[in-house]
Amino acid sequence: MTPKIRIHLADDHQVLIDGLSNLLRTVSHFEVVGSSLDGTTVYDDVLADGANILILDISMPKKDGIETLKEFNQKQSPCNVIILSSYDDLKIIKEVMKLGAKGYLTKNCAGENIIEAVEAVYQGQEYFSDSIREKIFNTFKDNPKLNQNAVIENPILSPREIEIIILIALEYSGKEISEKLFISSHTVETHRKNIMKKLNIKSTIGLVKYALKNNLINP
């Protein structure tokens, strides 16, 4: 039996909470266990209902989403956080990812991506909506070696892992990759090891060859 994913929703608009709840409950192994309308109560509410996933709005009253995320980070909460926001500002995205958020969705695409985001984050992956991912990708696409038309179909690799391969092949350091993708250096190294294991590649040179062979970068 698939284990239940326990989800808590935090947003100051009840209509949005109701809409997301109805959508999430269409998945048999999702369980919406609670909600919060006020940022000051989110941490205690999540602790009380034992949620695995928190979907958190940035613009919460009294205590905003960033301050709430800081509390979760400081108290080392095991609950994984997906940010839901009206903003797609890279500075905000970078800040919340550094504070431990595992996903970022804009509200205009939440209905399309929320189920996929919850699944990915619960499985230990990071998740960005397509518009956010494009913004991040644009920060390094001016590299002349990048193949702008690169398309790769490999069911064992996540979009994040493909980005890591490209950046490694473009000779970005682990620190530079962490800054570009708004993740920690430790997370970059974990991705690198997982990629090499999945592809049975033994070295960074092997990753560069893979990127060239699959037309992710230009020679």
Side-chain angles (χ1 to χ4, degrees):
M1 180 181 293
T2 304
K4 289 282 188 179
I5 301 177
R6 297 170 60 83
I7 305 164
H8 187 96
L9 302 172
D11 193 281
D12 60 335
H13 294 94
Q14 186 64 52
V15 65
L16 180 63
I17 288 176
D18 291 343
L20 288 179
S21 295
N22 290 336
L23 177 59
L24 291 165
R25 286 176 176 134
T26 63
V27 181
S28 61
H29 60 284
F30 285 6
E31 183 179 2
V32 179
V33 293
S35 62
S36 306
L37 292 167
D38 182 337
T40 60
T41 70
V42 175
Y43 181 82
D44 290 336
D45 292 344
V46 168
L47 189 65
D49 61 33
N52 308 115
I53 301 287
L54 166 64
I55 299 172
L56 174 66
D57 182 19
I58 286 284
S59 303
M60 294 288 286
K62 299 183 181 179
K63 185 175 183 178
D64 66 27
I66 291 177
E67 289 302 314
T68 300
L69 189 57
K70 286 179 180 177
E71 182 178 12
F72 275 75
N73 187 39
Q74 290 166 356
K75 295 180 178 178
Q76 298 182 329
S77 170
C79 183
N80 289 313
V81 181
I82 298 171
I83 296 296
L84 183 63
S85 176
S86 301
Y87 309 108
D88 61 359
D89 188 311
L90 285 178
K91 289 183 179 179
I92 295 176
I93 299 167
K94 183 175 182 178
E95 182 173 6
V96 299
M97 299 309 286
K98 282 189 172 182
L99 289 171
K102 300 301 183 184
Y104 198 105
L105 298 174
T106 53
K107 288 188 176 181
N108 62 354
C109 71
E112 302 170 20
N113 299 118
I114 194 69
I115 291 174
E116 190 176 80
V118 169
E119 293 278 17
V121 168
Y122 182 74
Q123 293 169 13
Q125 302 171 19
E126 291 136 344
Y127 188 91
F128 296 94
S129 54
D130 290 342
S131 61
I132 299 300
R133 189 174 297 282
E134 183 177 353
K135 270 182 170 286
I136 295 171
F137 196 77
N138 284 342
T139 65
F140 60 87
K141 75 174 186 178
D142 57 346
N143 191 303
K145 285 189 175 182
L146 179 66
N147 181 357
Q148 303 288 344
N149 300 312
V151 176
I152 182 171
E153 295 183 4
N154 190 326
I156 68 172
L157 294 174
S158 69
R160 170 62 90 206
E161 288 170 336
I162 293 170
E163 288 173 345
I164 297 284
I165 292 173
I166 290 172
L167 287 173
I168 289 173
L170 293 176
E171 300 182 349
Y172 283 78
S173 68
K175 183 176 183 296
E176 289 171 331
I177 294 172
S178 73
E179 291 173 351
K180 288 289 185 184
L181 300 184
F182 313 136
I183 57 179
S184 69
S185 296
H186 174 74
T187 300
V188 172
E189 181 61 18
T190 299
H191 279 306
R192 187 184 69 83
K193 289 179 179 177
N194 288 340
I195 292 165
M196 294 173 77
K197 183 177 180 180
K198 286 181 178 182
L199 299 178
N200 194 28
I201 288 174
K202 306 299 183 184
S203 66
T204 300
I205 295 298
L207 289 177
V208 174
K209 289 180 177 178
Y210 180 88
L212 287 167
K213 181 179 178 182
N214 288 277
N215 298 315
L216 298 178
I217 63 170
N218 298 313

